[in-house]
Amino acid sequence: MATDHTVLFSADTIAEKVNELADRIDRDHGEDGVVVIVVLKGAAIFAADLVRAMETETELAYLTASSYVDGFTPGESLSLRDDLDVDVGERDVLIVDDIIDTGRTLQELSALVVAQGPRRVATVALVSKTSRRAPDAEPDYHGLEIGDEFIYGYGLDWDERYRDLAFIALANP
Ligand code: IMP
Ligand code: MG
């Protein structure tokens, strides 16, 4: 059955922002390249576009984080799988997530990576949900901003659905 979606950010808008982010990240990273840690599942699609838009050489790694218990409500505890299979010692690291809300996911992942002795850790989220951010939890880079809305598409799920949409849509407009 076809679903009507309320498009918040079109595929073109997203592509423009991804290219801008790639340029900014390129300017900040040198010849040594960067270890890109993709926060699964949501950031898979954003990260795929971002690393292909970047000139900086990347090595890809993946971590799974999940804080939404029922697809809508932030859970009490963040579940992380810390099976990072790449040596980040003395290297530049970029942690990539789809959206930053309270900032806990990126904060906890950063701490996990910092404990492994990288040269530098930066964070990027395609979308910044600005209303509920914890103090000192701003990402280094973000592309788009929203308020307290729940969004889905372009990797972001609504209860595991719609990650495959090329655009970002607003739930319950
Ligand atoms: P934080 O730890 O509160 O910053 O939550 C960030 C995580 O919550 C993201 O990685 C997403 O998986 C999820 N999330 C937050 N807001 C939304 C949304 O509007 N749609 C889908 N997932 C979201
Ligand atoms: Mg996530």
Side-chain angles (χ1 to χ4, degrees), residues 39-42 65 97-98:
V39 184
L40 297 177
K41 303 175 190 173
D97 206 352
D98 48 6

Side-chain angles (χ1 to χ4, degrees), residues 4-172:
D4 280 332
H5 300 289
T6 302
V7 178
L8 184 62
F9 300 118
S10 68
D12 284 348
T13 299
I14 294 168
E16 217 173 277
K17 286 296 170 188
V18 170
N19 287 329
E20 279 175 30
L21 284 169
D23 287 347
R24 287 171 53 202
I25 293 165
D26 279 339
R27 267 182 260 127
D28 294 347
H29 288 84
E31 269 138 44
D32 298 342
V34 59
V35 177
V36 171
I37 300 179
V38 183
V39 184
L40 297 177
K41 303 175 190 173
I45 288 176
F46 168 44
D49 285 343
L50 183 69
V51 297
R52 287 180 296 173
M54 285 164 55
E55 298 281 339
T56 309
E57 189 178 330
T58 63
E59 180 174 344
L60 289 170
Y62 301 87
L63 281 178
T64 299
S66 156
S67 66
Y68 273 55
V69 282
D70 61 4
F72 235 170
T73 323
E76 282 296 302
S77 66
L78 185 70
S79 88
L80 287 182
R81 293 228 238 103
D82 59 347
D83 41 2
L84 198 58
D85 64 348
V86 57
D87 181 7
V88 299
E90 297 301 319
R91 299 184 66 187
D92 279 9
V93 177
L94 178 70
I95 306 177
V96 182
D97 206 352
D98 48 6
I99 184 168
I100 178 166
D101 183 8
T102 63
R104 269 188 57 214
T105 303
L106 281 173
Q107 263 184 335
E108 293 196 20
L109 287 176
S110 296
L112 197 130
V113 172
V114 164
Q116 300 183 30
R119 179 165 57 200
R120 182 155 68 114
V121 180
T123 55
V124 57
L126 176 63
V127 183
S128 173
K129 194 181 274 198
T130 54
S131 57
R132 288 193 302 188
R133 186 88 77 258
D136 298 326
E138 290 304 321
D140 294 286
Y141 310 92
H142 74 270
L144 300 159
E145 288 185 4
I146 61 169
D148 199 15
E149 298 91 5
F150 191 87
I151 58 173
Y152 61 89
Y154 193 71
L156 292 142
D157 71 305
W158 182 355
D159 219 1
E160 294 303 328
R161 296 181 72 193
Y162 306 130
R163 293 190 196 274
D164 55 358
L165 298 179
F167 53 85
I168 291 176
L170 199 53
N172 302 325

